[in-house]
């Protein structure tokens, strides 16, 4: 059996070795990624106590069905992001290994302060990665909001620790009834606001366009798929397992998440560049998944996490590559690109249509599942908002696909200066990625149980599960 500690320790060990042996840094990066990818699939349910101090006094790592599900997705998308964009790795191998270790730690830890430590390491890694494209204004905004979020989260858990004397998630959940209502309200609000930064929720998502909108082929996929998966899965862990929401507070936080996915989709609709559109689409997806978690539709939320992670991996990687090789990601200037590069167009289109939730694609199955369960709990406004946002999402993605497939002059391949800068040589890795992920999305669209079966045991005793 694989020890969960290794998913954190091995990437850190290779990060250390990559500093000592700089010429072999990419080799260590590939080894670390492959180890984590294989280990995630062989991980079994277990709890590991660190340092011999039993919880709630010591730190523990929890590998249950929930965290294993997140780890598998996280390590798959991280591996594909790096392997398909190896030329962009350059001097960032050590940083990527530290980032991988911290993201795995976020999903595994059962301790609220230990989560803060992993969150800080992951955030600092992300700040540095965001400088790859030298758009420092976006990085500056990210640092300011990230620091604010970290401090709010830390303040929230300090209030709770001073009241119940524990930071263990499971122990905290069992003692929340001992906390004064006003202290609990303030603490949960701070913790929610703290995680809203990384989860991209309103009003703490002002950094997203500056970072996602300037991403390259490497960090775009990592931010929008690996980081997004870790952040929203931890959000789901906190607000379904640890903190129980009800009454006015739940209504207010739901208003925040619903506003996020409506705002995200409307903002994406108004964008002209592909990466900006994808950035606001990611905001919308984060709001939708957070809403499903808060309403107890945990199964639907986890399925959408998978759908969003695989779709955004392909779309951000290709969009970043377009910018790297052509100098633009403006939809008008890249018109007809997919007619010339059909394989990357195939993967990008499949991912977009699944994200929209078009019938026959996996996203359609996810949305039907979520809507059906919302109706079962007599929720009618939320399905209406989800359908409205899906309509907007469908319009701007289909409009984008029509432009990228159609060169503008019927029957003729585009000769535009931008599209001709992409050659078979520099698109080969992206084409392989697009085909593999595109075919995988088609497979899970035909066999959705391939994803849902892996989480059904965890969800069987949870309202909204399957």
């Amino acid at each position: 059996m694989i020890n969960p500690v290794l998913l954190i320790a091995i990437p850190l060990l290779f990060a250390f070795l990559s500093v000592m042996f700089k010429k072999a840094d990419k080799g260590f990066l590939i080894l670390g990624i492959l180890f984590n990818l294989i280990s995630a699939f062989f991980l079994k349910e277990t709890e590991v106590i660190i340092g011999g101090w039993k919880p709630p006094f010591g730190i523990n790592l929890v590998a249950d069905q929930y965290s294993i599900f997140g780890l598998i997705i996280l390590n798959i998308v991280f591996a594909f992001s790096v392997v398909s964009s190896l030329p962009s790795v350059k001097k960032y191998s050590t940083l990527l290994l530290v980032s991988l270790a911290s993201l795995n730690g976020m999903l595994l830890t059962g301790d609220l302060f230990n989560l803060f430590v992993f969150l800080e390491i992951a955030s600092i890694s992300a700040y540095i990665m965001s400088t790859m494209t030298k758009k420092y204004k976006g990085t500056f905004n990210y640092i300011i909001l990230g620091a604010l979020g970290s401090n709010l989260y830390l303040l929230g858990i300090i209030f709770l620790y001073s009241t119940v004397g524990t930071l263990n998630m499971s122990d905290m959940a069992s003692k929340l009834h001992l906390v004064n209502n006003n202290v609990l309200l303030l603490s949960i609000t701070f913790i929610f606001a703290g995680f809203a930064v990384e989860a991209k929720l309103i009003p703490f998502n002002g950094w997203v366009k500056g970072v996602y909108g300037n991403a390259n082929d490497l960090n775009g996929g990592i931010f929008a798929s690996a980081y997004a998966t870790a952040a929203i899965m931890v959000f789901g862990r906190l607000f379904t397992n640890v903190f129980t929401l009800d009454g006015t507070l739940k209504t207010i936080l739901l208003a925040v998440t619903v506003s996020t996915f409506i705002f995200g989709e409307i903002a994406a609709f108004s964008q002209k560049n592909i990466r900006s559109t994808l950035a606001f689409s990611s905001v919308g997806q984060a709001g939708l998944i957070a809403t499903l978690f808060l309403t107890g539709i945990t199964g639907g939320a986890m399925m959408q996490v998978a759908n969003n992670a695989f779709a955004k991996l392909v779309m951000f990687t290709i969009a970043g590559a377009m910018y790297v090789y052509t100098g633009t990601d403006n939809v008008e200037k890249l018109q007809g690109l997919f007619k010339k590069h059909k394989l990357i167009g195939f993967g990008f289109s499949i991912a977009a249509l699944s994200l929209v939730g078009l019938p026959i694609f996996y996203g359609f199955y996810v949305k039907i599942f979520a809507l059906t369960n919302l109706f079962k709990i007599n929720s009618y406004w939320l399905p209406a908002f989800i359908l409205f946002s899906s309509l907007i999402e469908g319009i701007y993605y289909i409009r984008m696909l029509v432009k990228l497939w159609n060169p503008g002059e019927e029957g003729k391949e585009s000769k535009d200066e931008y599209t001709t800068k992409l050659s078979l040589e520099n698109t080969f890795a992206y084409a392989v990625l697009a085909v593999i992920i595109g075919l995988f999305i088609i497979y899970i669209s035909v066999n959705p149980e391939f994803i849902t079966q892996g989480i059904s045991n965890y969800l069987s005793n949870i309202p909204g599960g399957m």
Side-chain angles (χ1 to χ4, degrees):
M1 185 180 72
I2 299 293
N3 189 325
V5 175
L6 296 178
L7 274 76
I8 303 168
I10 294 298
L12 286 179
L13 172 64
F14 284 132
F16 178 71
L17 292 174
S18 69
V19 174
M20 295 180 65
F21 306 100
K22 290 187 179 299
K23 290 184 179 178
D25 60 344
K26 283 189 180 179
F28 288 122
L29 174 62
I30 297 299
L31 284 175
I33 287 172
L34 284 177
F35 175 84
N36 271 41
L37 180 60
I38 295 169
S39 299
F41 279 98
F42 288 98
L43 207 57
K44 302 293 182 186
E45 287 186 74
T46 185
E47 180 183 10
V48 178
I49 297 170
I50 306 296
W53 292 82
K54 292 184 179 179
F57 304 106
I59 294 172
N60 63 332
L61 299 181
V62 180
D64 57 9
Q65 290 292 327
Y66 185 86
S67 54
I68 292 172
F69 173 81
L71 288 166
I72 290 173
I73 293 175
L74 164 64
N75 286 288
I76 289 176
V77 295
F78 200 101
F80 271 106
S81 292
V82 172
V83 172
S84 62
S85 306
L86 267 181
S88 297
V89 170
K90 297 177 181 173
K91 58 184 178 181
Y92 294 99
S93 297
T94 305
L95 182 71
L96 288 166
L97 284 163
V98 173
S99 169
L100 179 63
S102 58
L103 293 175
N104 278 272
M106 284 173 60
L107 287 173
L108 280 167
T109 186
D111 182 273
L112 289 167
F113 184 75
N114 197 225
L115 172 60
F116 169 76
V117 174
F118 284 126
L119 177 64
E120 282 293 277
I121 298 171
S123 298
I124 292 169
S125 304
Y127 301 151
I128 300 172
M129 266 192 280
S130 70
T131 63
M132 283 179 176
T133 49
K134 303 189 186 305
K135 305 291 183 182
Y136 300 117
K137 184 181 177 183
T139 302
F140 179 76
N141 290 336
Y142 190 14
I143 291 173
I144 296 297
L145 285 170
L148 174 65
S150 297
N151 283 291
L152 287 175
Y153 172 80
L154 185 60
L155 201 56
I157 63 172
I158 287 174
F159 284 156
L160 290 176
Y161 180 69
S162 64
T163 305
V164 295
T166 184
L167 288 169
N168 180 270
M169 292 183 187
S170 177
D171 198 40
M172 178 71 76
S174 67
K175 292 180 177 176
L176 278 182
H177 65 282
L178 301 174
V179 183
N180 175 281
N181 281 339
N182 291 331
V183 174
L184 184 62
L185 178 68
L186 193 62
S187 302
I188 291 180
T189 302
F190 281 165
I191 291 171
F192 180 90
F195 250 89
V197 175
E198 288 300 333
K200 304 184 286 291
L201 303 179
I202 283 178
F204 301 97
N205 55 9
W207 61 273
V208 175
K209 184 179 179 182
V211 174
Y212 281 41
N214 292 311
N216 65 9
D217 51 339
L218 174 63
N219 64 16
I222 290 178
F223 285 148
S225 53
Y227 268 80
T229 296
I232 203 68
M233 288 294 286
V234 174
F235 177 93
R237 169 78 83 185
L238 293 178
F239 292 98
T240 58
N241 282 176
V242 183
F243 306 114
T244 305
L245 300 176
D246 54 21
T248 305
L249 179 60
K250 182 176 180 179
T251 304
I252 293 172
L253 297 187
L254 264 177
V256 170
T257 58
V258 171
S259 301
T260 300
F261 73 70
I262 293 175
F263 161 79
E265 299 303 352
I266 291 175
F269 182 85
S270 64
Q271 302 303 308
K272 294 182 178 178
N273 295 336
I274 299 172
R275 292 176 301 168
S276 297
T277 303
L278 295 178
F280 284 110
S281 168
S282 296
V283 170
Q285 289 296 321
L288 173 61
I289 295 167
T291 299
L292 294 176
F293 273 128
L294 292 183
T295 50
I297 315 298
T298 308
M302 293 171 71
M303 291 156 65
Q304 189 62 15
V305 167
N307 188 35
N308 180 66
F310 290 117
K312 288 292 166 57
L313 165 66
V314 173
M315 298 169 80
F316 259 105
T317 302
I318 291 174
M322 289 178 189
Y323 183 80
V324 168
Y325 290 104
T326 68
T328 183
D329 63 334
N330 185 284
V331 179
E332 296 290 338
K333 292 179 179 177
L334 294 172
Q335 188 168 353
L337 181 79
F338 289 164
K339 189 173 177 64
K340 184 176 180 182
H341 300 281
K342 293 183 176 58
L343 292 180
I344 63 173
F346 163 77
F348 191 99
S349 302
I350 295 295
L353 295 177
S354 182
L355 205 59
V356 169
L358 208 70
I360 80 168
F361 290 100
Y362 181 68
F364 178 73
Y365 178 83
V366 176
K367 288 191 176 176
I368 288 294
F369 178 87
L371 294 174
T372 303
N373 280 279
L374 284 170
F375 283 128
K376 285 180 181 176
I377 59 173
N378 297 319
S379 174
Y380 300 101
W381 281 108
L382 281 178
F385 286 132
I386 291 173
L387 290 173
F388 173 69
S389 64
S390 297
L391 177 65
I392 297 174
E393 190 178 39
I395 292 172
Y396 69 72
Y397 270 133
I398 290 174
R399 182 181 63 189
M400 180 191 293
L401 292 177
V402 169
K403 286 280 185 182
L404 292 173
W405 278 104
N406 183 4
E409 195 172 343
E410 189 175 356
K412 291 187 177 180
E413 186 177 286
S414 174
K415 299 297 182 186
D416 187 272
E417 59 174 315
Y418 296 104
T419 61
T420 52
K421 289 180 180 177
L422 278 174
S423 64
L424 178 63
E425 182 182 337
N426 58 33
T427 59
F428 178 76
Y430 309 117
V432 171
L433 169 74
V435 170
I436 291 175
I437 300 298
L439 290 175
F440 178 71
I441 292 175
I442 291 174
Y443 177 76
I444 60 175
S445 301
V446 178
N447 300 287
E449 295 81 9
F450 185 79
I451 295 287
T452 57
Q453 189 64 41
I455 56 178
S456 59
N457 292 337
Y458 172 78
L459 296 169
S460 59
N461 296 318
I462 296 177
M466 56 196 75

